[in-house]
Amino acid sequence: MAFAITQNCCNDASCLSVCPVNCIHPTPDEPDFGKTESLYIDPRNCIDCGACADACPVDAITRVSRLGPDQAVFADINADYFADKPVESEWDVPRFPLPTINELSEVEVAIVGTGPAACYAAQALLRFPRARITFYDRLPTAGGLARFGVAPDHMGTRRIGEHFRTVFTNPRVTMKLGVEVGSDVEHRELSERFDAVVYAVGAERDRRLDIPGIDLPGSTSARKLVGWYTGHPDVPADAFDFEGVERVVLVGNGNVALDAARILTADPADLEGTDIAPHALAVLRRSSVKEVVLVARRGPAHAAFTRSECQALVDRTNIPVVVSGPVDVSARIADLPDSSAASALSGLDAVEVGDLPSGRRIVFSFGRAPAAVGGVDRVESIDIGSGDEKRRIRTELVLLAIGYQGSPTLGLPFDQATSSIRNAAGRVTDTEGIPLEGAYVVGWAKRGATGGIGHNKMDAEETVDALIQDMAGRTRQPATRRRTPFNRVGAWLPLQAPSRGLS
Ligand code: NAP
């Protein structure tokens, strides 16, 4: 018997460091690390000790014998990863180098943002006993996408918030919530006050889709929906109403689209006791949504969702999932290897989107790009595909789930191609690649809007390594000696009331 890693895996590799037999892969030293959608336990080498399950911050690891019927598939998914790898593995022993903590003098770091990337950066910095951190967030509540991005029914993943809470309440951490860097305080001021400023600002804009009709009322972003059902302070409680809405079309089939489809089709009773915003649950109880269609411009081999998220959706017994697309769509799905994300859709019925079903269902439409949104005063339909493959889908609501991007609002060098802050291994650089002293970046602002929560851990550690190297070799005086003693209540920010801790 062995343990298995399930759908919630956050990829932050906490489990790896406690496994006594090194049976969890890929490790950070292996080429696959960061490329697989989850980590996997080799059932042939697992000794069933459970240390990984205790260390997992998101409750993603379970003894195989205790996997419920909807999770049984994860035993195979874990085993599959090792199918072409030898039992007597030649894995390297994982390396977890301890930082040289004694060489560093006092270091004062501002971290802009309080989401997962910010928290992993803080965790890495707090290993240095003389590091102190001040978090800035424009919102009155900390947590970023851990709070306002992770789906409210993914309770295991949302446990990461508890893990991060220990960072926010660390005595060497100060919280400045409700302070917007770029308007209330400028980067220049922060860089004068702190030894280093780490930007963990994510990707706050929606990608734009330039097709006719896209700005009609009834066409909006999936980000807004996510903010609405997670209770984001920027999204009003009355932003959505699904009374009279029978079909929702989501453009894109990444995990954001899957989350939205799952919430919109869920039985409201199943959402009770989750972290869903009460106003959203009240509206969903009155919803008349019967069908959610996910429109992908490419075929099943290029699905953007992860296999585990899709499998969990398909395994939900009460909502049928079907596929749609050019005639050979089912055959193309059937031909996919097990490792392919859309193999989770294998064997499902193929339909033409047209008449509404009697109950609720989810349709994965492939190979037809959105071409135009139709309607007079508001959305009435969306055209997808072209030529013989062109289809018109009647709908009252179009949600764009085509990804996020950053913006050059902070006055920091910005790379338009990747929609991220220009950087080299986390050091913010100018267009010539020259590092800007004391400026660093982590997370989606560093690498673009890809990857789930755990991907931010190694990424943040890379940035903190660079920061620490720079601090160890710095020539200018530490911030603590350049100015009056550190002021925990932030009197130098007269615009803002002091704030601390989670509100
Ligand atoms: P994503 O994974 O990048 O998916 C974007 C989708 O939009 C793709 O299907 C893409 O199709 C499509 N798209 C992009 N531009 C388009 C255009 N011009 N026209 C039509 N379709 C277009 O983005 P996401 O869903 O926002 O997720 C962002 C990241 O967060 C991902 O790494 C995701 O895995 C992660 N995330 C994870 C979870 C989870 O683990 N539960 C939950 C939410 C988000 P193409 O492939 O053809 O470009």
Side-chain angles (χ1 to χ4, degrees):
M1 202 47 70
F3 279 71
I5 299 181
T6 65
Q7 169 201 351
N8 289 345
C9 178
C10 73
N11 265 296
D12 89 348
S14 301
C15 52
L16 278 162
S17 55
V18 297
C19 176
V21 293
N22 190 23
C23 75
I24 306 177
H25 297 274
T27 67
D29 296 338
E30 292 164 3
D32 273 0
F33 188 79
K35 295 182 189 148
T36 56
E37 61 182 53
S38 124
L39 302 175
Y40 305 100
I41 293 175
D42 186 345
R44 305 164 306 179
N45 293 329
C46 174
I47 57 167
D48 215 16
C49 70
C52 54
D54 292 341
C56 177
V58 293
D59 243 356
I61 307 182
T62 306
R63 201 181 291 277
V64 165
S65 58
R66 296 209 183 133
L67 289 170
D70 56 334
Q71 290 199 312
V73 66
F74 288 101
D76 290 340
I77 290 178
N78 278 249
D80 285 354
Y81 179 73
F82 300 95
D84 58 354
K85 299 182 174 65
V87 184
E88 294 298 331
S89 65
E90 300 286 326
W91 306 111
D92 288 338
V93 173
R95 283 182 286 122
F96 297 95
L98 282 175
T100 356
I101 55 174
N102 296 325
E103 287 166 14
L104 200 71
S105 61
E106 291 175 2
V107 57
E108 296 261 3
V109 180
I111 299 184
V112 184
T114 58
C119 290
Y120 283 125
Q123 276 181 338
L125 277 164
L126 289 170
R127 288 189 205 130
F128 296 86
R130 287 191 282 178
R132 297 165 69 98
I133 293 167
T134 301
F135 280 105
Y136 288 85
D137 200 310
R138 73 179 183 86
L139 294 180
T141 7
L145 286 183
R147 185 183 294 238
F148 300 119
V150 177
D153 59 336
H154 276 171
M155 298 299 280
T157 310
R158 290 184 70 87
R159 273 192 53 201
I160 198 84
E162 293 307 312
H163 186 61
F164 292 150
R165 190 179 292 269
T166 59
V167 173
F168 299 138
T169 54
N170 186 299
R172 286 183 285 133
V173 167
T174 300
M175 304 296 290
K176 291 190 185 295
L177 302 175
V179 180
E180 184 157 6
V181 175
S183 58
D184 298 328
V185 58
E186 297 297 328
H187 168 70
R188 182 185 47 76
E189 296 172 74
L190 290 183
S191 62
E192 282 166 9
R193 297 264 165 190
F194 293 92
D195 296 303
V197 186
V198 179
Y199 285 91
V201 291
E204 78 288 10
R205 277 188 307 158
D206 296 307
R207 274 201 201 128
R208 170 115 189 123
L209 182 64
D210 278 320
I211 57 172
I214 198 69
D215 294 322
L216 277 170
S219 161
T220 187
S221 72
R223 176 205 294 268
K224 191 171 174 186
L225 181 82
V226 173
W228 175 73
Y229 61 56
T230 55
H232 193 293
D234 284 353
V235 186
D238 62 358
F240 290 91
D241 186 353
F242 296 97
E243 258 183 301
V245 175
E246 292 191 308
R247 181 181 282 128
V248 178
V249 171
L250 280 152
V251 178
N253 69 4
N255 279 344
V256 167
L258 258 62
D259 283 347
R262 197 180 60 253
I263 296 290
L264 290 176
T265 53
D267 179 343
D270 292 341
L271 295 173
E272 282 169 17
T274 70
D275 281 352
I276 194 162
H279 60 249
L281 184 55
V283 167
L284 290 171
R285 285 187 204 286
R286 304 189 303 267
S287 166
S288 36
V289 170
K290 289 200 163 164
E291 187 168 84
V292 176
V293 184
L294 291 87
V295 168
R297 58 183 168 179
R298 297 198 283 168
H302 298 102
F305 52 75
T306 53
R307 176 181 167 192
S308 52
E309 286 297 328
C310 186
Q311 191 72 57
L313 200 66
V314 171
D315 290 347
R316 237 181 8 165
T317 47
N318 48 351
I319 310 290
V321 179
V322 295
V323 299
S324 182
V327 279
D328 61 346
V329 66
S330 296
R332 288 171 67 190
I333 292 172
D335 284 349
L336 293 171
D338 285 350
S339 55
S340 178
S343 67
L345 301 172
S346 192
L348 299 181
D349 290 342
V351 301
E352 278 287 350
V353 179
D355 293 339
L356 285 161
S358 51
R360 285 187 173 168
R361 75 173 177 189
I362 294 175
V363 184
F364 282 85
S365 165
F366 290 101
R368 293 185 181 124
V373 176
V376 182
D377 299 323
R378 56 170 301 115
V379 169
E380 293 168 21
S381 64
I382 182 168
D383 291 346
I384 60 170
S386 59
D388 290 347
E389 288 301 338
K390 185 171 171 176
R391 298 286 185 278
R392 175 160 294 177
I393 302 177
R394 190 174 59 74
T395 179
E396 298 85 5
L397 181 62
V398 172
L399 295 171
L400 294 186
I402 61 171
Y404 305 141
Q405 54 186 12
S407 57
T409 49
L410 291 163
L412 295 169
F414 191 75
D415 183 353
Q416 296 289 353
T418 56
S419 287
S420 56
I421 295 173
R422 260 179 209 285
N423 73 92
R427 291 182 178 96
V428 177
T429 60
D430 65 15
T431 45
E432 309 293 314
I434 313 285
L436 259 64
E437 191 180 354
Y440 301 86
V441 61
V442 291
W444 279 4
K446 173 183 177 184
R447 62 178 193 276
T450 60
I453 290 176
H455 290 104
N456 294 302
K457 187 171 184 188
M458 303 302 291
D459 168 298
E461 288 181 359
E462 179 189 59
T463 296
V464 170
D465 282 354
L467 187 159
I468 295 300
Q469 267 175 30
D470 295 349
M471 292 301 121
R474 71 182 158 185
T475 48
R476 76 171 181 165
Q477 274 204 327
T480 38
R481 269 170 253 141
R482 291 203 308 272
R483 60 179 164 81
T484 48
F486 188 71
N487 181 348
R488 294 187 72 79
V489 295
W492 61 277
L493 274 177
L495 285 175
Q496 296 298 329
S499 53
R500 185 168 163 70
L502 292 167
S503 53

